[in-house]
Amino acid sequence: MNLPTALAPIADGIHAWIPDVSGSWGYANCLLIASDTQAALVDTPYDGQMTRTLLAAAAAVLPAGARVETIVNTHANGDHCFGNSHFPDAQIISTQASLDHLCTEPDPGQMHHLTHNTPADEPLGWYMRRHFGHYQYHGIQLAPPTLTFTGHHQFTVGATRVELTEVGPAHTMGDLIVHLPDHGVVCAGDIVFIGDHPAHWQGPLSGVIAACDTILRLEPQTVIPGHGPIVGIAGLLGYRQYLHDLEGAIHDGYTRGHSAQETAEQLVRAGFYAHLGLEERLMITTAMEHRHLDGDNSAPDLVALANRAATWAFHRHHAHVPAPASLPAAS
Ligand SMILES: [Zn+2]
């Protein structure tokens, strides 16, 4: 794992940890906010080794005597909160919806099982080992939010104002964005992916687009995506256009009677935003959008969704031929 050992300076007292590993899962960005002797961290890394690396990098820039007293989790996916237990005294803030839906997320024990005990020669086992096998899930203790909110919540870190806005359901049920109005910075969580196709587990895509519009209205100079390099307004607008194009293609296919799989296959074959990594994630987002179009509001089976992506990637990788006609059901 090639992790950054230094934080990127964003503004006075604001630093970001940007692994920026495209074509991979789990390398999420984190934002350190420090002022006077106080500090807060937006999102925690996926496993212990990553969190220790981040902590060492943070120690180099934290003011003397400052320690992280507040964690903000932008949503409940493990790559944004499995490191929480490394901050045992910290208040952990997230939306009430994130806490309510924590039970639908694979926990560290399930991730260990999926990366170790599934058949390695079948799509899901192969894919999980390939993209998640290098993380150490064994022994990770979940540390759920200790303070939740709906709508808006604000607090200060020293002299720095921190404003949280709930924007879910979008990427997940309980997404929030973090705005630092004194610095022109927004931390977007997985509302925004840069460099790879996003996997949106909840949707609908109109919800993700609306969340992008909420960010745009804040007119930030700097947007920290959940994954990938930092962007400005132009980068955010480009990503919003991607979502708009994807939504249009999916709805068009649905109207024509195409299945989610047919639409996703067509998009890949037509080179839809082909410069982005992880094309198999189109299988997930397309399946989720179809559930909304079908009026299906039941909780999605995230492992079944991942299996759709895995099956596509497995066949593309091993045979260099189109994926088989039938993928596992989404739920
Ligand atoms: Zn993520």
Side-chain angles (χ1 to χ4, degrees), residues 15 27 65 67-68 70 86 95 149 152 157 165 181 196-197 244 253 259 261 275 283:
H15 295 79
Y27 292 97
R67 63 190 184 90
V68 174
T70 306
H86 288 255
T95 62
F149 70 96
H152 297 273
V157 178
T165 300
D196 289 325
H197 289 279
H244 178 77
S259 69
Q261 181 194 331
H275 63 286
M283 297 287 156

Side-chain angles (χ1 to χ4, degrees), residues 35-39 59 62-69:
S35 176
D36 300 331
T37 57
Q38 294 187 325
L62 278 175
R67 63 190 184 90
V68 174
E69 293 170 335

Side-chain angles (χ1 to χ4, degrees), residues 25-29 43 74-75 77-80 171 189-190 193 199 201 226-227 281:
W25 293 72
Y27 292 97
N29 298 328
D43 285 339
T74 57
H75 60 292
N77 286 167
D79 54 333
H80 299 260
H171 171 71
D190 281 0
F193 284 74
W201 302 101
H227 297 259
R281 283 176 169 171

Side-chain angles (χ1 to χ4, degrees), residues 77-102:
N77 286 167
D79 54 333
H80 299 260
C81 64
F82 278 1
N84 283 2
S85 66
H86 288 255
F87 304 87
D89 303 324
Q91 183 172 58
I92 300 170
I93 307 176
S94 197
T95 62
Q96 181 62 36
S98 266
L99 179 59
D100 290 345
H101 291 85
L102 201 56

Side-chain angles (χ1 to χ4, degrees), residues 82-143:
F82 278 1
N84 283 2
S85 66
H86 288 255
F87 304 87
D89 303 324
Q91 183 172 58
I92 300 170
I93 307 176
S94 197
T95 62
Q96 181 62 36
S98 266
L99 179 59
D100 290 345
H101 291 85
L102 201 56
C103 56
T104 66
E105 296 286 332
D107 65 27
Q110 287 169 302
M111 290 303 294
H112 182 80
H113 172 76
L114 286 165
T115 48
H116 287 78
N117 303 333
T118 45
D121 56 350
E122 292 179 12
L124 186 62
W126 170 81
Y127 195 80
M128 293 303 293
R129 282 168 177 77
R130 182 178 173 85
H131 284 290
F132 300 87
H134 52 288
Y135 298 115
Q136 295 292 324
Y137 299 111
H138 187 70
I140 292 177
Q141 297 296 317
L142 275 185

